[in-house]
Amino acid sequence: MRKILSIILSVILLVGAILLANYFIKNKNKPKPKFDKIIKTVSIDTVKNGEVPIIISASGNLVAKNKIELYSEVQGVLSTAGKDFKAGTNYQKGQTLLRINSDEFYASLQSQKSNLYNLVTSIMPDIRLDFPNEFEKWQSYLQSFDLNKATPKLPEYASDKEKYFISGRNITTTYYSVKNLEVKLGKYQIRAPYNGILTEALVTPGTLIRSGQKLGEFIDPSIYEMEVNISSEFSNLLKVGNAVSLHDLEKTQSYTGRVIRVNGKIDQTSQTLKAYIEVKDKLLKEGMYLEADLTAKSEHNAYKIDRKLLIDNTSVYVVNDTLLELKNVNPVYFEAESVIIKGLPDNTHLLANPVSGAYNGMPVKINTEIK
């Protein structure tokens, strides 16, 4: 029985091996499945070399060109003026910004002016006797003297003798003391030097003002400056008067300015140069953050492309007939989103958009709707 079972099992295995071999032989001759080759459709740009301006991008905050910080040079209590001394208040040139009570100081000034008048009056008899020819001019001076008006200038001296006489009576010293007090009296009232707006107010009516105390800030809102840092490599290209295009971060508003100053010193740490741009617009406010595009120079026989099209900063893909070809180029200037290149002949078909998985020799189809 064991021999019979062994023979039967051997026959079964042999038959199975023959059948399996025939199966593999039959399947070997079947044709392999075919897959359609996918050819990507690409858009192209036709290269036309020419003059390409190099735009330097910079940014900064606006600062009013005409701006003053208000400080008190005298002491006293702040009085009410024509308008409230509050941030946002507009003033015309010559209008009173604020007024400090000067009653006590004014009385002191009047006392000094009265003293000067008395001194001149006291020397009139001596002038009639010693300087009869000069009596009339000194009499005219007394007649023009008004305590409620600015002190008139002392008459011109006709001789050194007259000069010594007047000085010896302490008239000259008293006169200049009075003029000094008159100048100081004018500091109790601060007027607007130009049409502008109060941007900061640190005191209110009734506040005791001390000498040297900051009172506020006043600006001219019609003209602004913006300081920007430019790479030192363009130091010889920046010129006063160059036009500048400015815009906000969202690029919803654009403005036009011009370079008004260029610093002559390069920052040793950052190797940058400071340039100052002047811009005028009613929509501008101090402190606004703007971006500026300065035209430095132009590159001849160049072409501007998207930075995404540049491969390893040395080459780009072009379409030669129906195949992609990697061409070496010379990038001359990098901008935020674009690059200026040289080295591509005119009428070269350059990829308009990056193609994923691109390689040299890759077959492509040109989109005939956009060329």
Side-chain angles (χ1 to χ4, degrees), residues 22 25 65-66 99 107 116 166 227 298 367:
N22 289 334
I25 291 171
K65 185 175 182 179
N66 299 319
R99 183 183 293 112
L116 174 62
I166 298 300
E227 179 187 286
S298 295
N367 187 347

Side-chain angles (χ1 to χ4, degrees), residues 35-295:
F35 299 96
D36 294 332
K37 196 169 186 179
I38 298 175
I39 299 178
K40 292 188 177 181
T41 302
V42 298
S43 300
I44 61 170
D45 283 333
T46 302
V47 175
K48 294 188 182 298
N49 292 303
E51 294 279 338
V52 180
I54 290 182
I55 307 298
I56 305 172
S57 295
S59 57
N61 294 94
L62 293 180
V63 177
K65 185 175 182 179
N66 299 319
K67 175 180 179 179
I68 58 172
E69 292 183 339
L70 305 174
Y71 285 89
S72 174
E73 297 183 63
V74 295
Q75 181 171 318
V77 176
L78 184 67
S79 303
T80 55
K83 292 184 176 181
D84 292 335
F85 188 74
K86 294 182 178 180
T89 305
N90 290 286
Y91 293 88
Q92 299 297 314
K93 181 179 180 180
Q95 277 190 316
T96 301
L97 293 174
L98 53 82
R99 183 183 293 112
I100 299 173
N101 189 291
S102 60
D103 292 346
E104 183 179 349
F105 185 84
Y106 181 75
S108 177
L109 170 62
Q110 293 300 89
S111 175
Q112 285 290 88
K113 290 173 70 173
S114 177
N115 185 34
L116 174 62
Y117 183 83
N118 292 337
L119 286 174
V120 175
T121 302
S122 66
I123 65 169
M124 292 304 291
D126 294 330
I127 289 179
R128 182 188 289 274
L129 293 175
D130 298 336
F131 307 96
N133 295 332
E134 313 304 328
F135 179 80
E136 186 175 345
K137 71 178 181 183
W138 283 99
Q139 188 176 27
S140 298
Y141 179 77
L142 283 177
Q143 290 174 350
S144 65
F145 201 101
D146 189 341
L147 291 176
N148 296 318
K149 296 180 180 179
T151 304
K153 185 180 179 181
L154 290 175
E156 296 290 336
Y157 303 126
S159 63
D160 288 343
K161 184 179 179 180
E162 180 187 5
K163 177 181 177 180
Y164 299 149
F165 175 78
I166 298 300
S167 297
R169 297 300 190 277
N170 204 33
I171 291 175
T172 304
T173 301
T174 305
Y175 167 77
Y176 283 109
S177 296
V178 170
K179 297 303 290 184
N180 179 56
L181 292 176
E182 286 182 340
V183 171
K184 194 172 183 179
L185 178 64
K187 296 177 180 179
Y188 279 83
Q189 183 171 272
I190 300 178
R191 297 182 180 274
Y194 40 75
N195 296 344
I197 185 171
L198 195 66
T199 57
E200 184 180 31
L202 303 177
V203 292
T204 56
T207 304
L208 176 61
I209 306 300
R210 293 177 174 81
S211 179
Q213 180 178 347
K214 185 177 179 180
L215 308 176
E217 193 173 80
F218 186 74
I219 69 167
D220 176 3
S222 64
I223 182 169
Y224 295 91
E225 282 187 6
M226 186 173 79
E227 179 187 286
V228 294
N229 294 317
I230 306 299
S231 176
S232 59
E233 64 180 298
F234 299 108
S235 60
N236 60 328
L237 304 175
L238 282 175
K239 294 181 180 179
V240 173
N242 282 6
V244 182
S245 175
L246 302 105
H247 54 81
D248 56 13
L249 291 176
E250 294 77 21
K251 296 186 178 181
T252 57
Q253 296 290 338
S254 58
Y255 314 93
T256 301
R258 64 185 182 92
V259 178
I260 57 170
R261 297 191 308 279
V262 178
N263 200 338
K265 181 180 179 181
I266 294 176
D267 188 289
Q268 294 183 3
T269 304
S270 61
Q271 285 298 296
T272 57
L273 189 69
K274 292 186 183 298
Y276 299 87
I277 301 167
E278 181 183 281
V279 58
K280 300 178 182 179
D281 197 283
K282 294 180 179 179
L283 298 177
L284 296 175
K285 302 293 181 183
E286 186 174 61
M288 283 182 64
Y289 185 84
L290 296 181
E291 293 181 342
D293 297 327
L294 295 85
T295 303

Side-chain angles (χ1 to χ4, degrees), residues 265-330:
K265 181 180 179 181
I266 294 176
D267 188 289
Q268 294 183 3
T269 304
S270 61
Q271 285 298 296
T272 57
L273 189 69
K274 292 186 183 298
Y276 299 87
I277 301 167
E278 181 183 281
V279 58
K280 300 178 182 179
D281 197 283
K282 294 180 179 179
L283 298 177
L284 296 175
K285 302 293 181 183
E286 186 174 61
M288 283 182 64
Y289 185 84
L290 296 181
E291 293 181 342
D293 297 327
L294 295 85
T295 303
K297 65 175 183 177
S298 295
E299 281 290 343
H300 304 284
N301 195 29
Y303 192 69
K304 182 185 286 190
I305 65 172
D306 194 312
R307 288 189 66 164
K308 296 177 182 178
L309 298 176
L310 194 62
I311 309 299
D312 296 330
N313 290 340
T314 58
S315 54
V316 294
Y317 279 112
V318 300
V319 180
N320 189 1
D321 194 10
T322 58
L323 300 176
L324 290 185
E325 183 179 353
L326 203 59
K327 285 279 189 180
N328 290 330
V329 294
N330 176 29

